[in-house]
Amino acid sequence: MAAGGSTQQRRREMAAASAAAISGAGRCRLSKIGATRRPPPARVRVAVRLRPFVDGTAGASDPPCVRGMDSCSLEIANWRNHQETLKYQFDAFYGERSTQQDIYAGSVQPILRHLLEGQNASVLAYGPTGAGKTHTMLGSPEQPGVIPRALMDLLQLTREEGAEGRPWALSVTMSYLEIYQEKVLDLLDPASGDLVIREDCRGNILIPGLSQKPISSFADFERHFLPASRNRTVGATRLNQRSSRSHAVLLVKVDQRERLAPFRQREGKLYLIDLAGSEDNRRTGNKGLRLKESGAINTSLFVLGKVVDALNQGLPRVPYRDSKLTRLLQDSLGGSAHSILIANIAPERRFYLDTVSALNFAARSKEVINRPFTNESLQPHALGPVKLSQKELLGPPEAKRARGPEEEEIGSPEPMAAPASASQKLSPLQKLSSMDPAMLERLLSLDRLLASQGSQGAPLLSTPKRERMVLMKTVEEKDLEIETIETRCEGEKKKFKRLKTKQKELEAKMLAQKAEEKENHCPTMLRPLSHRTVTGAKPLKKAVVMPLQLIQEQAASPNAEIHILKNKGRKRKLESLDALEPEEKAEDCWELQISPELLAHGRQKILDLLNEGSARDLRSLQRIGPKKAQLIVGWRELHGPFSQVEDLERVEGITGKQMESFLKANILGLAAGQRCGAS
């Protein structure tokens, strides 16, 4: 048995050695041809923080259900069997006595160096409501959290690395947003509305239209961040007086530009995310608007758990697009960022189920694999010298053919630019700007290699014939693609001009038709006024909708004028100077006007019903259904009574465009109700 085991072990070692040799050879071949290797994996790092008891007396009546074992593991009571405990192990565990500096220095500070390498990083605070996520991320003036500490260190690093004499120039910008009820809102510019989330060609997640503020010091950061933090949506629940009702994301972008050739530029992003906590509505007592907010928060966190499960199981589809939160975190979970998850838990036994759920999510998240890579590219002006020195890339025979006849006779030592047609026919290498960047990089590296070996003449044309023919074919294909695109653009321009001309013709036709209709309706405007005079039109009689009691009171008085809604014909008389018979023309006219007394009475009645009526009473109003009635009751309990009817615009679901029709419909309805009661 021992001999067999040793034989199998030797076979495994030989297979591993051969596989290593094959992989090493493959890597050598890849490095020779200049292909990029797949970025190394980086596992999501998970840290758990246990907050202390909220008050000193809670420890005696409510014993803790979580206990830390060492700096990386903890245990929690098993609710199925009280004789056993469930043990968890993470990258770091911070107990009740841990400070903000311990969490920042142990988990967050090491990932800041990746931003200066052009890579992305993210820090997420996860946990149930009331577990201390916002305190971990923001902290207090006496105990600053992760966000102020990270910004202070990052700005210090950029000042040191971007100083004069260093090879890179650095700049830092910040953006701040929240995801509230599946809407992406810019906290630096609240009036911008709901924003969309996009993905570029390299797989990076971006938000067009999101405000970016440049910051060079911590004072600049505070000047933008503190007012934006007040715009975040918070609310009071039974568990927390300032509970976060949205997911807040602080995006810090570090741009680096190389001062010398080859003028590379890098971009690193840091996401600092304060997630809203999962809520049990039986303990939070959410109703109305708070209940709707809680549903949106729990739904997004549920999709976040589905994303983590899909990544761990290797499913072909990861449901990033099922929620705005997971769509924004696509770089952080299974993407290209160095991710840190700080799971906040509570020690009280009444939070046992929430604590177990948070620990299970954290245990699944630490198995997620990211693949960070450096976001590096060349600046556009880096290709300028290549375009200017394109004559140098031609060999002696080609350069001689590219010259004009006058140049050959004069024998000028400096070659001048050949005509465009001749250069296109004789030198397909001239249009280097339209070449594939990978092919151009290969050409430049080959040029530098030949120059380092001391080769004379045109380096590109000294390559083997087969490679030169392939290169020329590639250039011709690129030129053909450009010509096709230009032809397509010209066709689109012509089509646009035709549509513009047709639009102008239709507008002129409509104007002529309107003028003709105006002439048909007013024939007397075109007649000469020397023998005819037009008498002034009588003013329109306006109908006023009033309650029946007021109409009866007005009818009792002899001089009362009652206005009702009628279809009454209006006659216009045209008298001539020749004493002809007056012409009469009847026109139908409707006019509706609500008396000011009725309008004020109806508005007051609606306001009383909004402040004192129940949800069932509110449903008696026109255009108010069960859902809007519940929202109005919840808003009234949260913000107090309505001061005016227009305050309904602040309740979701009732916009300013619907307010006018809402008032008219309800005032007419109340007037009809009074009239029926009086009769």
Side-chain angles (χ1 to χ4, degrees):
M1 293 294 291
S6 61
T7 303
Q8 292 180 358
Q9 185 176 1
R10 283 197 300 272
R11 289 179 179 175
R12 294 194 193 98
E13 292 177 355
M14 293 175 63
S18 62
I22 293 173
S23 63
R27 286 196 295 270
C28 293
R29 286 196 295 271
L30 288 176
S31 62
K32 286 181 181 179
I33 64 176
T36 59
R37 292 183 295 177
R38 191 177 185 185
R43 184 174 53 82
V44 175
R45 298 181 60 85
V46 177
V48 177
R49 184 182 190 183
L50 177 64
R51 70 159 173 81
F53 282 94
V54 176
D55 50 16
T57 60
S61 61
D62 193 4
C65 60
V66 181
R67 183 173 66 89
M69 301 178 64
D70 52 32
S71 61
C72 295
S73 59
L74 59 96
E75 64 178 1
I76 184 172
N78 188 357
W79 64 277
R80 294 181 178 178
N81 187 357
H82 297 286
Q83 303 298 329
E84 298 178 355
T85 58
L86 302 176
K87 294 180 175 60
Y88 294 89
Q89 189 170 5
F90 301 100
D91 296 293
F93 172 72
Y94 301 98
E96 301 177 359
R97 298 182 180 180
S98 60
T99 62
Q100 301 276 58
Q101 177 63 23
D102 296 338
I103 298 170
Y104 171 72
S107 298
V108 180
Q109 193 175 24
I111 69 171
L112 296 182
R113 59 182 177 85
H114 297 295
L115 298 175
L116 302 182
E117 300 172 359
Q119 299 180 359
N120 299 336
S122 61
V123 181
L124 298 88
Y126 180 86
T129 181
K133 298 180 299 300
T134 304
H135 177 72
T136 300
M137 298 301 293
L138 294 180
S140 61
E142 298 79 14
Q143 299 178 357
V146 170
I147 290 178
R149 292 176 188 269
L151 264 296
M152 193 173 297
D153 286 355
L154 183 60
L155 292 172
Q156 180 64 26
L157 287 175
T158 55
R159 280 194 296 268
E160 294 175 357
E161 294 294 329
E164 293 293 336
R166 294 297 182 92
W168 296 88
L170 286 83
S171 62
V172 183
T173 59
M174 63 165 288
S175 302
Y176 197 26
L177 60 97
E178 72 171 353
I179 302 177
Y180 175 70
Q181 294 189 12
E182 290 301 305
K183 296 179 181 178
V184 180
L185 305 178
D186 189 355
L187 295 178
L188 294 173
D189 185 14
S192 60
D194 188 11
L195 303 177
V196 295
I197 302 176
R198 300 297 187 205
E199 183 177 357
D200 61 6
C201 59
R202 294 185 297 177
N204 296 323
I205 300 300
L206 52 90
I207 302 176
L210 184 64
S211 301
Q212 294 186 6
K213 302 294 183 181
I215 54 176
S216 58
S217 63
F218 191 75
D220 295 340
F221 167 72
E222 286 183 329
R223 185 173 68 252
H224 299 301
F225 182 76
L226 294 180
S229 299
R230 302 187 190 100
N231 296 329
R232 186 181 178 186
T233 306
V234 296
T237 63
R238 291 180 182 175
L239 300 179
N240 194 353
Q241 291 298 323
R242 287 184 58 82
S243 176
S244 301
R245 315 310 299 167
S246 63
H247 308 292
V249 180
L250 175 64
L251 172 59
V252 182
K253 187 184 299 183
V254 180
D255 291 324
Q256 306 178 64
R257 298 181 182 272
E258 197 172 14
R259 291 190 171 99
L260 301 176
F263 303 104
R264 294 170 296 173
Q265 62 182 24
R266 295 175 179 174
E267 181 183 81
K269 298 178 183 179
L270 175 62
Y271 293 90
L272 299 170
I273 304 166
D274 181 13
L275 298 175
S278 57
E279 295 184 344
D280 187 353
N281 295 315
R282 293 172 296 182
R283 287 191 283 114
T284 56
N286 292 330
K287 295 180 181 179
L289 184 61
R290 289 287 171 266
L291 186 62
K292 185 177 181 181
E293 295 171 348
S294 176
I297 293 170
N298 292 337
T299 300
S300 61
L301 295 178
F302 175 71
V303 176
L304 180 62
K306 289 173 58 179
V307 167
V308 172
D309 293 339
L311 291 172
N312 290 335
Q313 298 173 13
L315 298 180
R317 178 187 178 274
V318 182
Y320 287 116
R321 297 176 180 268
D322 291 358
S323 173
K324 295 290 184 66
L325 175 63
T326 53
R327 181 64 169 157
L328 189 63
L329 297 181
Q330 188 169 345
D331 285 341
S332 303
L333 295 174
S336 60
H338 298 271
S339 299
I340 302 293
L341 176 67
I342 303 176
N344 295 262
I345 58 177
E348 291 86 358
R349 188 171 294 274
R350 64 177 183 271
F351 290 101
Y352 177 81
L353 295 178
D354 294 332
T355 301
V356 171
S357 176
L359 291 176
N360 290 336
F361 175 81
R364 300 195 308 270
S365 298
K366 74 176 184 178
E367 304 298 331
V368 175
I369 301 298
N370 293 349
R371 295 190 178 275
F373 60 87
T374 300
N375 298 309
E376 184 176 296
S377 60
L378 290 176
Q379 296 184 11
H381 62 77
L383 301 177
V386 178
K387 188 175 182 180
L388 292 176
S389 61
Q390 57 189 348
K391 279 289 184 180
E392 299 177 359
L393 300 178
L394 299 175
E398 285 77 4
K400 187 175 181 180
R401 286 198 300 268
R403 295 179 182 177
E406 297 179 358
E407 279 187 351
E408 294 181 357
E409 293 178 1
I410 297 174
S412 175
E414 294 293 330
M416 298 179 64
S421 60
S423 63
Q424 289 177 0
K425 293 179 180 179
L426 300 178
S427 177
L429 299 178
Q430 188 172 5
K431 292 187 178 181
L432 294 178
S433 60
S434 62
M435 191 181 299
D436 188 15
M439 183 68 69
L440 180 59
E441 184 65 25
R442 288 187 60 189
L443 286 175
L444 294 178
S445 62
L446 183 61
D447 189 12
R448 288 192 293 267
L449 178 62
L450 294 176
S452 63
Q453 295 178 357
S455 61
Q456 301 294 330
L460 289 180
L461 295 181
S462 64
T463 57
K465 183 177 180 181
R466 179 179 298 178
E467 295 185 7
R468 186 166 68 248
M469 295 300 295
V470 172
L471 179 61
M472 293 172 63
K473 185 177 180 180
T474 304
V475 174
E476 292 177 358
E477 291 177 356
K478 294 293 181 181
D479 292 342
L480 183 60
E481 290 180 4
I482 293 176
E483 292 177 0
T484 304
I485 294 174
E486 290 178 352
T487 305
R488 190 181 303 168
C489 291
E490 291 179 359
E492 294 293 336
K493 289 181 180 179
K494 292 180 180 179
K495 184 177 180 181
F496 178 75
K497 288 182 180 180
R498 289 197 301 269
L499 293 176
K500 198 74 175 176
T501 305
K502 189 173 182 180
Q503 182 182 1
K504 290 182 179 180
E505 293 177 357
L506 291 175
E507 290 178 354
K509 188 175 181 180
M510 290 177 62
L511 291 175
Q513 187 176 1
K514 287 183 179 179
E516 184 178 356
E517 292 178 356
K518 196 172 183 180
E519 292 176 359
N520 294 335
H521 284 296
C522 302
T524 56
M525 298 296 295
L526 301 179
R527 297 178 182 177
L529 300 178
S530 57
H531 299 287
R532 303 177 69 89
T533 58
V534 180
T535 58
K538 296 181 180 180
L540 297 176
K541 289 187 178 182
K542 298 181 180 180
V544 181
V545 178
M546 302 177 62
L548 186 60
Q549 295 177 355
L550 298 178
I551 294 176
Q552 293 176 354
E553 293 178 359
Q554 292 182 359
S557 59
N559 298 326
E561 183 180 359
I562 302 175
H563 301 283
I564 57 175
L565 185 63
K566 287 185 177 181
N567 183 7
K568 189 173 182 180
R570 178 172 61 89
K571 296 182 179 180
R572 182 171 58 187
K573 296 182 179 181
L574 302 176
E575 297 180 358
S576 60
L577 296 175
D578 299 335
L580 298 175
E581 293 183 358
E583 299 179 359
E584 294 183 356
K585 185 177 181 181
E587 296 181 358
D588 292 337
C589 178
W590 291 82
E591 188 71 21
L592 177 64
Q593 182 180 7
I594 303 175
S595 64
E597 296 83 2
L598 180 60
L599 181 62
H601 180 73
R603 290 173 66 92
Q604 183 62 36
K605 185 145 182 123
I606 295 173
L607 185 61
D608 294 341
L609 193 57
L610 291 176
N611 290 329
E612 299 175 1
S614 61
R616 184 174 181 180
D617 298 335
L618 291 173
R619 291 174 59 182
S620 63
L621 293 175
Q622 298 289 334
R623 303 178 187 276
I624 298 295
K627 186 176 179 181
K628 290 184 180 180
Q630 292 293 337
L631 287 176
I632 292 172
V633 172
W635 191 93
R636 186 176 65 195
E637 293 177 357
L638 183 63
H639 299 282
F642 293 86
S643 59
Q644 54 183 354
V645 181
E646 283 73 10
D647 288 344
L648 280 176
E649 297 180 4
R650 300 171 60 184
V651 180
E652 186 176 354
I654 300 179
T655 61
K657 295 182 180 180
Q658 300 173 350
M659 183 56 62
E660 184 177 356
S661 61
F662 170 77
L663 287 174
K664 286 184 178 180
N666 284 285
I667 289 174
L668 292 175
L670 292 173
Q674 288 184 357
R675 183 172 60 187
C676 293
S679 61

